């Protein structure tokens, strides 16, 4: 589905194209590439100005907060603590009662009203607010278009609504035409602004503003009825750490913290559709004017050809597409609204081509829709899918925004790459409206870096089992070789060192990547012991150090299987698996069979069982057959049939498997009954090393 008003083939397309209003204050003087390196120092936002909203009643939500707080020490947290608050879509009344009002109360109670600038929403929190009177109308492009033109649209993203946290936009709302400030949208005072948002006083952020209707229809926020527009100090900024899984979001955070670009090799792609150029209203041309001179790998495709990456094919075929082979710093343009092969899955074709910090901005209506399990519109690129394929940042819409509500590339890329703004500042400077559909994905505090140390990642080959003392080889890999030897620090948790495992090729929790090399390996070996533990999990993780960053694959989990007998003890004795009654030579049921024999012959150690393990039977031919039943699944044991004439000295007998019962591996030896010497028989069971 393409977005209404300016999508191809829509009857009403032309009318909304007039809603575009790109303000060009002056022609930007393109910066020299050499100046890019130092711009990060201009970022003014600090972690203590960021408040992460999470819900402890949703495990992933709290886990995202904890992970981000560890990645960005100093960020603040607020627990909504609400079992009734779920992901996806929420009513306007519930947004007010369960998010807005509790957040206001928390900020007042902690005196943080003027201090907190950015709210971060986590996986598990809703991202869409339904229309007060028309419910999910924002999912219907035609219905949304009509409702917006009538001045009655109150649907929005949670994220955009929170930018005006201190304003009661819904006051007076009665499904009339522009009867409340919740109808349609509010002009963003930070739009196209390159200054740090903290340059503006926040002393009046909690004061009630005046909302004056301007053409559109839309609202302008003012401090006084006849005064100028309120300043950016009157709003908050928002970002979202979200994705299809906790692991995906953790990778998103890792990449955001270490976002880094090489303009010589990392491409900014602007993929325009010349047959449908009214959508961007000149935005891509302006963006190219800003960036082409300072970004050597700037790719501006201006035909009907749709660019896709090098991995896989589109589900509907690749007609009208062209492969792009370079590494990607930003993928922008018409996305699912592009002619020529615009189908579900185009983002996935760029897997393994994305720079650490890759941005997505598609001119699509519903590309921020599918968080929280909300389905549909798979032909639009989705921010959630961007995370899955290794993307780091993105902007998009939760509901139908119309063409004028699409984030502007010219402000987004200029302010992030050239002006040194934090990601959240650059993203919100690209939005023409507040109280509308925008979702900003990714670490808000990230700043583009252009002096990139290599990123380190972990991989592992092999398995660990105490029965065999097996080994796993763990490899540390840098994304690029260093000219000098690099010390990489590795931590272990979840199992005991050196009790459960020993590590070789490592000293002091550190491995050394040799100069001009990009990898080094170390070996983890399981240590057999007499302790019954069941399967343990050893977590191997990269630690922060000089000369490298921690990459997306920052840890590996290595299961350590216990001996089979140890697993059996845990199953049979539970928490008492290491008590005296559970040891190999103990006989807790008093039947004369110790636990090792109970295990070997699949018996119950808690129940005295009669019968003999060794059977002696006549074969009708003057011989006796001595036999026992071995368990072929007990590959950790050695069984041996032994004989003695005095009960003291024992020798092994050769045995064969009874062909009549091979599935149970009945092992037997034939003895002549004509012997004058009395014989004793036993089965000896020995654990294998």
């Amino acid at each position: 589905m393409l977005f209404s008003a300016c999508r191809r083939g829509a009857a009403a397309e032309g009318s909304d194209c007039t809603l575009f209003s790109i303000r060009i204050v002056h022609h930007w003087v393109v910066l020299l590439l050499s100046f890019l390196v130092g711009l990060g120092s201009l970022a003014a936002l600090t972690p203590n100005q960021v408040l992460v909203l999470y819900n402890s009643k949703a495990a992933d939500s709290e886990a995202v907060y904890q992970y981000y707080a560890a990645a960005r020490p100093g960020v603040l947290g607020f627990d909504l603590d609400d079992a009734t608050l779920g992901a996806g879509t929420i009513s306007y009344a519930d947004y007010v009662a369960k998010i807005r009002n509790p957040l206001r109360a928390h900020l007042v109670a902690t005196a943080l009203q003027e201090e907190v600038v950015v709210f971060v929403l986590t996986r598990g929190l809703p991202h869409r607010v339904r229309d007060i009177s028309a419910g999910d109308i924002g999912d219907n492009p035609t219905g949304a278009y009509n409702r917006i033109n009538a001045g009655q649209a109150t649907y929005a993203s949670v994220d955009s609504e929170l930018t005006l946290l201190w304003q009661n936009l819904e006051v007076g709302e009665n499904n009339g035409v522009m009867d409340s400030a919740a109808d349609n949208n509010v002009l963003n005072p930070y739009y196209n602004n390159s200054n740090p948002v903290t340059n503006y006083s926040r002393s009046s952020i909690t004061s009630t503003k005046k909302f004056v209707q301007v053409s559109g229809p839309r609202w302008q926020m003012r401090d006084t009825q006849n005064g100028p527009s309120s300043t950016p100090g009157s709003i908050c900024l928002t970002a979202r750490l979200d994705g299809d899984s906790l692991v995906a979001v953790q990778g998103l955070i890792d990449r955001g913290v270490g976002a880094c670009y090489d303009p010589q090799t990392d491409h900014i792609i602007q993929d325009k559709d010349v047959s449908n150029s009214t959508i961007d209203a000149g935005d891509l041309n302006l963006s190219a004017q800003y960036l082409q001179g300072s970004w050597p790998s700037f790719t501006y495709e201006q035909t009907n050809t749709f660019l896709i990456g090098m991995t896989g094919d589109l589900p509907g075929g690749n007609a009208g597409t062209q492969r792009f082979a370079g590494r990607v710093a930003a993928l922008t343009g018409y996305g699912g609204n592009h002619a020529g092969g615009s189908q579900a899955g185009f983002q996935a074709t760029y897997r393994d081509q994305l720079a650490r910090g890759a941005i997505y901005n598609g001119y699509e209506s519903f590309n921020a829709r599918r968080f929280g399990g909300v389905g549909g519109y798979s032909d639009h690129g989705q921010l959630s899918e961007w995370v899955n394929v290794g993307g780091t940042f993105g902007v998009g819409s939760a509901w139908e925004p119309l063409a004028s509500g699409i984030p502007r590339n010219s402000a987004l890329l200029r302010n992030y790459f050239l002006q040194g703004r934090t990601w959240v500042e650059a993203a919100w400077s690209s939005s023409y409206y507040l109280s509308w559909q925008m979702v900003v994905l990714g670490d808000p505090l990230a700043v583009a870096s252009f002096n990139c140390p290599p990123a380190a990642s972990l991989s592992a080959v092999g398995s660990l089992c105490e029965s065999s003392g097996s080994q796993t080889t763990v490899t540390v890999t840098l994304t690029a070789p260093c000219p000098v030897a690099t010390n990489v620090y590795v931590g272990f948790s979840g199992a005991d060192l050196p009790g459960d495992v020993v590590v070789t090729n490592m000293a002091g929790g550190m491995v050394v990547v040799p100069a001009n090399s990009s990898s080094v390996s170390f070996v983890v070996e399981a240590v057999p012991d007499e302790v019954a533990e069941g399967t343990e999990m050893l977590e191997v993780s990269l630690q922060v150090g000089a000369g490298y960053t921690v990459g997306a694959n920052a840890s590996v989990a290595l299961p350590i299987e216990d001996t089979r007998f140890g697993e059996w003890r845990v199953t049979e004795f539970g928490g008492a698996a290491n008590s005296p009654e559970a040891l190999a030579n103990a006989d807790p049921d008093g039947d004369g069979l110790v636990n090792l024999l109970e295990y070997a012959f699949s018996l119950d150690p808690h129940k005295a069982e009669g019968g003999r393990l060794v059977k002696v039977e006549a074969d009708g031919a003057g011989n006796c057959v001595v036999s026992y039943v071995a368990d072929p699944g007990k590959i950790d044991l050695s069984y041996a049939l032994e004989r003695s004439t005095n009960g003291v000295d024992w020798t092994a007998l050769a045995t064969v498997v009874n062909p009549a019962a091979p599935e149970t591996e009945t092992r037997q030896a034939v003895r002549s009954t004509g012997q004058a010497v009395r014989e004793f028989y036993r089965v000896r069971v020995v654990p294998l090393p």
Side-chain angles (χ1 to χ4, degrees):
M1 194 71 182
L2 308 176
F3 60 76
S4 70
C6 276
R7 72 186 196 280
R8 299 190 303 274
E13 288 177 6
S15 56
D16 186 59
C17 292
T18 61
L19 294 184
F20 269 115
S21 175
I22 295 191
R23 293 182 294 152
I24 305 176
V25 178
H26 57 272
H27 291 291
W28 185 252
V29 178
V30 179
L31 299 178
L32 294 175
L33 180 61
S34 60
F35 188 51
L36 290 173
V37 176
L39 284 174
S41 61
L42 296 176
L45 281 173
T46 56
N48 63 354
Q49 294 172 304
V50 175
L51 179 68
V52 184
L53 278 59
Y54 68 96
N55 185 4
S56 60
K57 295 299 190 293
D60 280 5
S61 179
E62 183 169 15
V64 170
Y65 161 62
Q66 298 292 349
Y67 197 87
Y68 185 61
R72 292 290 192 189
V75 298
L76 309 176
F78 172 53
D79 183 7
L80 291 164
D81 191 22
D82 188 343
T84 69
L85 184 62
T89 308
I90 191 172
S91 70
Y92 201 100
D94 280 349
Y95 159 74
V96 170
K98 298 182 178 184
I99 299 178
R100 189 186 74 182
N101 289 354
L103 177 55
R104 284 180 180 177
H106 171 75
L107 293 172
V108 170
T110 54
L112 291 173
Q113 303 97 307
E114 298 176 23
E115 305 304 318
V116 171
V117 179
V118 180
F119 303 128
V120 177
L121 297 111
T122 50
R123 169 176 161 79
L125 295 182
H127 66 293
R128 308 198 315 160
V129 183
R130 290 187 175 93
D131 192 277
I132 294 172
S133 300
D136 290 344
I137 192 68
D139 282 337
N140 180 329
T142 301
Y145 173 79
N146 291 335
R147 194 156 180 83
I148 294 165
N149 277 356
Q152 294 177 300
T154 59
Y155 65 86
S157 71
V158 170
D159 309 50
S160 186
E161 205 71 4
L162 278 175
T163 62
L164 298 172
L165 172 73
W166 298 103
Q167 306 306 311
N168 296 324
L169 302 177
E170 76 283 9
V171 170
E173 177 58 37
N174 194 30
N175 203 28
V177 176
M178 299 295 282
D179 58 351
S180 78
D183 283 324
N184 287 12
N185 42 54
V186 178
L187 293 174
N188 178 9
Y190 196 51
Y191 173 67
N192 208 29
N193 192 322
S194 296
N195 294 318
V197 72
T198 50
N199 277 13
Y200 301 91
S201 171
R202 306 180 65 77
S203 61
S204 64
I205 191 168
T206 61
S207 65
T208 301
K209 307 299 182 184
K210 306 296 182 182
F211 290 88
V212 178
Q213 185 178 340
V214 294
S215 62
R218 54 180 67 95
W219 301 99
Q220 184 182 68
M221 182 173 63
R222 302 176 180 176
D223 292 348
T224 61
Q225 185 70 31
N226 297 317
S229 171
S230 298
T231 74
S234 298
I235 68 172
C236 299
L237 307 183
T238 65
R240 178 169 289 269
L241 301 174
D242 209 337
D244 290 338
S245 68
L246 174 60
V247 171
V249 180
Q250 290 172 335
L252 176 84
I253 293 169
D254 290 340
R255 294 189 295 273
V257 170
C260 200
Y261 312 88
D262 183 350
Q264 299 288 343
T265 58
D266 296 344
H267 290 259
I268 294 175
I269 297 176
Q270 291 194 161
D271 193 3
K272 188 173 183 175
D273 180 358
V274 70
S275 65
N276 197 18
S277 59
T278 54
I279 292 178
D280 73 276
D283 175 52
L284 295 182
N285 289 339
L286 184 60
S287 179
Q289 177 185 330
Y290 290 156
L291 284 131
Q292 275 182 319
S294 61
W295 201 281
S297 296
F298 191 94
T299 299
Y300 192 8
E301 166 59 46
Q302 301 183 66
T303 72
N304 288 340
T305 300
F306 182 50
L307 298 181
I308 63 173
M310 302 300 293
T311 301
D313 297 315
L314 300 182
N318 298 337
T321 70
Q322 179 179 315
R323 298 282 189 184
F324 183 85
R327 193 163 64 175
V328 178
L331 178 61
T332 71
Y334 282 36
N337 281 330
H338 200 296
S342 302
Q343 301 153 18
F346 69 87
Q347 290 171 314
T349 66
Y350 287 95
R351 186 186 298 273
D352 300 324
Q353 290 178 243
L354 301 183
R356 186 180 175 86
I359 298 168
Y360 182 75
N361 179 24
Y363 289 178
E364 303 150 312
S365 296
F366 298 100
N367 48 19
R369 171 189 171 86
R370 292 177 61 183
F371 293 114
V374 178
Y377 291 97
S378 60
D379 58 327
H380 287 197
Q382 295 293 328
L383 294 187
S384 56
E385 178 64 11
W386 187 241
V387 178
N388 292 340
V389 301
T392 305
F393 304 115
V395 288
S397 299
W399 306 90
E400 175 60 63
L402 298 192
S404 56
I406 298 297
R408 303 293 100 193
N409 237 33
S410 51
L412 178 78
L413 300 183
R414 182 194 73 206
N415 285 335
Y416 182 63
F417 285 131
L418 300 182
Q419 289 294 321
R421 298 278 55 77
T422 59
W423 166 245
V424 73
E425 291 173 307
W428 279 105
S429 76
S430 74
S431 178
Y432 198 44
Y433 303 130
L434 305 178
S435 184
W436 203 226
Q437 314 314 323
M438 176 111 136
V439 171
V440 174
L441 175 71
D443 176 12
L445 291 169
V447 177
S449 173
F450 302 94
N451 183 17
C452 309
S457 61
L458 286 177
S459 60
V461 177
S463 60
L464 295 174
C465 180
E466 287 188 22
S467 294
S468 60
S470 52
Q471 296 180 342
T472 292
T473 299
V474 181
T475 301
V476 177
T477 302
L478 302 178
T479 52
C482 290
V484 296
T486 304
N487 299 332
V488 178
Y489 296 88
V490 181
F492 300 86
S493 61
D496 294 330
L497 297 175
D500 298 308
V501 293
V502 294
V503 181
T504 55
N505 301 341
M506 173 181 284
M510 180 187 75
V511 292
V512 181
V513 181
N516 301 313
S517 179
S518 60
S519 67
V520 67
S521 297
F522 58 92
V523 176
V524 180
E525 182 176 358
V527 177
D529 58 33
E530 299 300 323
V531 181
E533 301 159 311
T535 299
E536 296 181 284
M537 193 66 70
L538 175 66
E539 186 83 11
V540 184
S541 58
L542 292 169
Q543 309 295 302
V544 174
Y548 65 94
T549 61
V550 176
N553 299 316
S555 65
V556 291
L558 306 179
I560 308 172
E561 295 183 7
D562 203 350
T563 63
R564 291 171 179 261
F565 182 50
E567 296 276 5
W568 179 84
R569 286 164 59 187
V570 171
T571 300
E572 295 293 342
F573 295 95
N578 292 299
S579 64
E581 68 171 6
L583 298 180
N585 292 323
D587 182 14
D589 57 8
D591 61 359
L593 300 176
V594 298
N595 285 327
L596 184 61
L597 292 177
E598 301 269 9
Y599 164 69
F601 292 96
S602 301
L603 302 175
D604 186 344
H606 309 290
K607 178 182 178 182
E609 295 165 295
R612 296 177 179 272
L613 300 180
V614 180
K615 291 184 178 181
V616 181
E617 300 173 302
D619 67 355
N623 299 313
C624 65
V625 178
V626 184
S627 66
Y628 68 95
V629 179
D631 184 346
K634 300 292 194 315
I635 60 175
D636 55 328
L637 299 178
S638 171
Y639 296 81
L641 180 63
E642 297 181 337
R643 64 176 286 274
S644 174
T645 58
N646 57 14
V648 176
D649 302 308
W650 296 88
T651 59
L653 290 174
T655 61
V656 295
V657 176
N658 183 351
E663 69 281 355
T664 56
E665 204 164 302
T666 301
R667 301 175 186 178
Q668 63 183 31
V670 179
R671 305 292 292 167
S672 172
T673 56
Q675 297 178 100
V677 179
R678 183 173 61 173
E679 293 184 335
F680 303 91
Y681 304 98
R682 74 179 185 184
V683 178
R684 186 168 183 264
V685 177
V686 178
L688 293 173

